[in-house]
Amino acid sequence: MADPASYRPQTGEIPTNPGVYRFRDPHGRVIYVGKAKNLRSRLNSYFANPAGLLPKTHAMVHTASSVEWTVVGSELESLQLEYTWIKEFSPRFNVMFRDDKSYPYLALTMGEKFPRVQVLRGDRKKGTRYFGPYTAGAIRETMDTLLRVFPVRSCSSGVFRRAEASGRPCLLGYIDKCAAPCVGRVSPEEHRVLAEDFCSFMGGEAKRFTSRLEKEMAAAVEQLDYEQAARLRDDIVALRKVFERNAVVLADDTDADVFALHEDELEAAVQVFHVRGGRVRGQRGWVVEKVEDTTTPDLVEHLLQQVYGEANGSHGRLPREVLVPVLPSNGPELTAWLSGLRGAHVDVRVPQRGDKAALMGTVRENAEQALKLHKTRRAGDITVRSQGLLELQEALDLPVPLLRIECFDISHVQGTNVVASMVVVEDGLPKKSDYRKFAVTGAAAVDDTASMHDVLTRRFRRYLQDKVAQPDVLDTETGNAEAAAAAAAVDRPDAAAEEALLDTTTTAPRSKFAYPPNLVVVDGGKPQVNAAARALAELGIDDVYVVGLAKRLEEVWLPDSDFPVILPRTSQGLYMLQRIRDEAHRFAISFHRQKRGKAMTVSALDAVPGLGEAKRKALLAHFGSVKAIKAASAEELTAAKGIGPALASAIATAFNEGPETAQAPVINMTTGEIIEF
């Protein structure tokens, strides 16, 4: 751990203006971003008495090796810059609200020719309308009920194409829960009207549709068409059931998000009820670890920044009112920022009395229960992970805590389609955004040891390249950013004439391999471990430790060791190694199957230079077979879509000069079946 006094700036060097500051670790990674009305006062509070800081703040200042700051013109600018940097760097010590579960949304793909209604999770997509979030059970019932009244397509693209080709709709088309645009029962325009009505109903215009159906039912009764009247009656009942699931709590024109939180010294749980059209349409929850002496107004400010600043559709989610338990820090600036996102005024306030205050009490009770449940579930997990990491560190006699572990595995079938995987675990949890896949070719694919040496060399060579090339990475020995920039200028002669400057405002490109692990785990025994250690030694890396986990007896091998380390079968450290190894194996197998699947078919067209997949398909669609393409002249080949004179000449030349290749059929490599000549 670093001593905060080693990188503490002089008090006179720190300006008293408002601004944003960043703490970095010895590898240059931003670990904390904060803002302050007075930079000098705020930063001095970190160094005046480090022993008096809260545990996580104490860990942050001792993990960091430098601090830098940027002066801004106003508190609104500092709010915007702080949010931008938090989104860019994802600092590990910042307050980061994470969902306590993944909530589904009801979505309509309005960007497609035939819009599709479906249940989606995750990032939002352009051209898709979202409603929710809902609980998993409620959203399925809602969707099934509404398809009776608004029979919008809900099938996948594959099912739609098969029905379109066969001329027969799927089951939903037969039971009147789909208008069956795939077989022409409705035109694209009529189907889009259905989708727009679906969106309007979900957007709060329920009365318009129920009133219309009631009038149609009355007209059917007058005409003695009782069967039609009964169907319309059932449709009205179905629409009313959708709204019976959501309690009416406020006036019909109320659109608001109601936030409440419950906190203790270390963590806080947040709940939000989404009220649209006076009804609770959805609910979400987050749990956050409090990093420093964060006040409740600070928590509320960070929460609103994260919830409404997300890039995936924040404009569509911002309501007119945001009800909070306490006003956030920098309230006027935050309100102005939210109003800019929405394009209209947003009222951020604390409800004092009436129905909204009563609803706030209900949300607060949910937050209290959520924090209790979170602590109950997480207590065992955190204890087990911490115990496993500690046991592993002690068993391997490592001098550093295992903050980051990377595991590598090789996968192939009898030496073909050789691939490798890299999985990453930080603080005992998988970090899937850092997973990587490697294709192994040439001499490196001879055996597992050569493949492992090649993959480790490629991974850590990229780390060294990124370490030098990235302008804001710190020098690992001095902790000085300017020194690292100067070193980079020496290594890049073309940039030697440029002045090395520390840019704290321009967004830097994210590096894929800039952060090294404390421990590398390889799937294998002594040969694989020695190959990995040799790769690191050749690159001059001596601060990354290597072990291997052999499958047969689950032995842990160290480099240049004649005997393995035997961990107890009940050891949490061994369980952790096994889980990491199994995850690397799963990831490698999935990539190997993907690569092998692409190699299942081969064609004579594959060997033609400059002929990509799209143009191969265009040729086969135009001529029907490789044999017909071979017989065509260069002039005839230009009749296919996307084939110009130069490419047509190259195709003709390739077939004329390579008769054996030209006669090769398209073969399924698994079954040996000839697909086409």
Side-chain angles (χ1 to χ4, degrees), residues 419-643:
V419 300
S421 68
M422 179 186 99
V423 302
V424 180
V425 170
E426 287 193 354
D427 298 325
L429 293 173
K431 189 178 182 183
K432 294 192 175 183
S433 61
D434 284 4
Y435 284 17
R436 295 292 180 266
K437 299 180 289 189
F438 301 84
V440 183
T441 59
V446 172
D447 55 36
D448 284 359
T449 55
S451 299
M452 189 64 72
H453 181 275
D454 176 70
V455 170
L456 267 294
T457 300
R458 288 158 61 187
R459 184 265 182 265
F460 284 96
R461 184 186 293 129
R462 285 293 303 275
Y463 154 61
L464 295 176
Q465 291 172 351
D466 290 345
K467 178 181 173 183
V468 173
Q470 191 173 352
D472 60 350
V473 171
L474 298 178
D475 181 271
T476 56
E477 295 181 0
T478 65
N480 188 300
E482 289 84 351
V490 171
D491 290 336
R492 291 177 289 140
D494 58 321
E498 301 177 6
E499 183 178 4
L501 297 176
L502 179 59
D503 185 358
T504 60
T505 57
T506 303
T507 300
R510 288 180 178 269
S511 297
K512 292 183 178 180
F513 296 102
Y515 194 65
N518 305 109
L519 178 67
V520 166
V521 180
V522 299
D523 182 20
K526 184 177 179 179
Q528 287 83 359
V529 172
N530 289 337
R534 188 170 67 254
L536 295 178
E538 290 171 356
L539 294 173
I541 297 174
D542 56 4
D543 57 350
V544 176
Y545 301 92
V546 181
V547 299
L549 184 61
K551 287 188 180 71
R552 188 169 66 89
L553 299 176
E554 303 292 37
E555 303 163 331
V556 179
W557 286 90
L558 301 177
D560 300 323
S561 175
D562 294 330
F563 301 98
V565 176
I566 305 298
L567 297 178
R569 291 302 184 193
T570 58
S571 166
Q572 293 298 332
L574 178 60
Y575 290 158
M576 177 163 291
L577 280 181
Q578 289 172 331
R579 288 194 295 268
I580 297 171
R581 188 267 317 278
D582 293 344
E583 174 68 358
H585 186 62
R586 179 201 64 79
F587 195 50
I589 284 290
S590 63
F591 181 41
H592 170 73
R593 288 172 177 167
Q594 176 186 356
K595 187 176 181 182
R596 188 179 63 192
K598 291 181 179 179
M600 283 297 185
T601 57
V602 294
S603 169
L605 297 177
D606 296 341
V608 179
L611 190 62
E613 181 180 357
K615 292 180 180 179
R616 288 199 299 268
K617 289 181 178 179
L619 281 170
L620 289 172
H622 184 81
F623 291 97
S625 68
V626 176
K627 184 177 180 180
I629 297 172
K630 174 189 173 184
S633 64
E635 292 76 12
E636 292 171 334
L637 290 172
T638 58
K641 182 180 179 181
I643 306 299

Side-chain angles (χ1 to χ4, degrees), residues 3-5 44-59 61-62:
D3 181 3
N44 280 336
S45 69
Y46 288 102
F47 301 102
N49 182 21
L53 297 173
L54 288 179
K56 291 183 180 176
T57 310
H58 182 275
V61 298
H62 284 81

Side-chain angles (χ1 to χ4, degrees), residues 258-541:
V258 186
F259 292 88
L261 59 87
H262 183 74
E263 57 183 314
D264 58 17
E265 295 80 4
L266 299 177
E267 294 178 305
V270 179
Q271 290 283 311
V272 56
F273 280 14
H274 301 281
V275 179
R276 300 294 183 270
R279 298 171 183 269
V280 178
R281 297 295 185 83
Q283 173 230 7
R284 296 177 70 190
W286 299 268
V287 176
V288 62
E289 294 183 2
K290 298 165 69 175
V291 177
E292 54 176 325
D293 192 13
T294 309
T295 64
T296 302
D298 291 335
L299 281 176
V300 173
E301 177 190 316
H302 289 298
L303 171 67
L304 299 185
Q305 272 185 292
Q306 183 170 327
V307 170
Y308 296 121
E310 295 290 343
N312 55 348
S314 60
H315 296 258
R317 291 187 292 153
L318 260 168
R320 291 190 295 268
E321 287 184 283
V322 177
L323 305 180
V324 292
V326 297
L327 289 176
S329 303
N330 294 333
E333 292 79 10
L334 186 65
T335 300
W337 182 64
L338 293 177
S339 299
L341 290 178
R342 183 173 183 263
H345 179 67
V346 176
D347 188 14
V348 181
R349 62 187 183 87
V350 180
Q352 301 294 333
R353 61 183 65 86
D355 292 338
K356 294 178 180 177
L359 180 60
M360 175 70 74
T362 302
V363 183
R364 187 181 304 111
E365 183 178 352
N366 278 268
E368 182 177 354
Q369 296 298 325
L371 185 59
K372 289 180 180 178
L373 182 61
H374 167 77
K375 286 187 172 296
T376 301
R377 289 177 175 175
R378 294 281 288 174
D381 293 342
I382 293 174
T383 302
V384 169
R385 289 203 314 271
S386 301
Q387 181 183 352
L389 291 172
L390 183 59
E391 286 184 6
L392 199 55
Q393 181 183 351
E394 292 176 350
L396 301 177
D397 195 23
L398 301 180
V400 294
L402 302 178
L403 300 179
R404 180 181 172 104
I405 303 173
E406 294 179 1
C407 184
F408 295 81
D409 184 32
I410 308 296
S411 180
H412 58 84
V413 174
Q414 296 182 346
T416 62
N417 299 314
V418 183
V419 300
S421 68
M422 179 186 99
V423 302
V424 180
V425 170
E426 287 193 354
D427 298 325
L429 293 173
K431 189 178 182 183
K432 294 192 175 183
S433 61
D434 284 4
Y435 284 17
R436 295 292 180 266
K437 299 180 289 189
F438 301 84
V440 183
T441 59
V446 172
D447 55 36
D448 284 359
T449 55
S451 299
M452 189 64 72
H453 181 275
D454 176 70
V455 170
L456 267 294
T457 300
R458 288 158 61 187
R459 184 265 182 265
F460 284 96
R461 184 186 293 129
R462 285 293 303 275
Y463 154 61
L464 295 176
Q465 291 172 351
D466 290 345
K467 178 181 173 183
V468 173
Q470 191 173 352
D472 60 350
V473 171
L474 298 178
D475 181 271
T476 56
E477 295 181 0
T478 65
N480 188 300
E482 289 84 351
V490 171
D491 290 336
R492 291 177 289 140
D494 58 321
E498 301 177 6
E499 183 178 4
L501 297 176
L502 179 59
D503 185 358
T504 60
T505 57
T506 303
T507 300
R510 288 180 178 269
S511 297
K512 292 183 178 180
F513 296 102
Y515 194 65
N518 305 109
L519 178 67
V520 166
V521 180
V522 299
D523 182 20
K526 184 177 179 179
Q528 287 83 359
V529 172
N530 289 337
R534 188 170 67 254
L536 295 178
E538 290 171 356
L539 294 173
I541 297 174

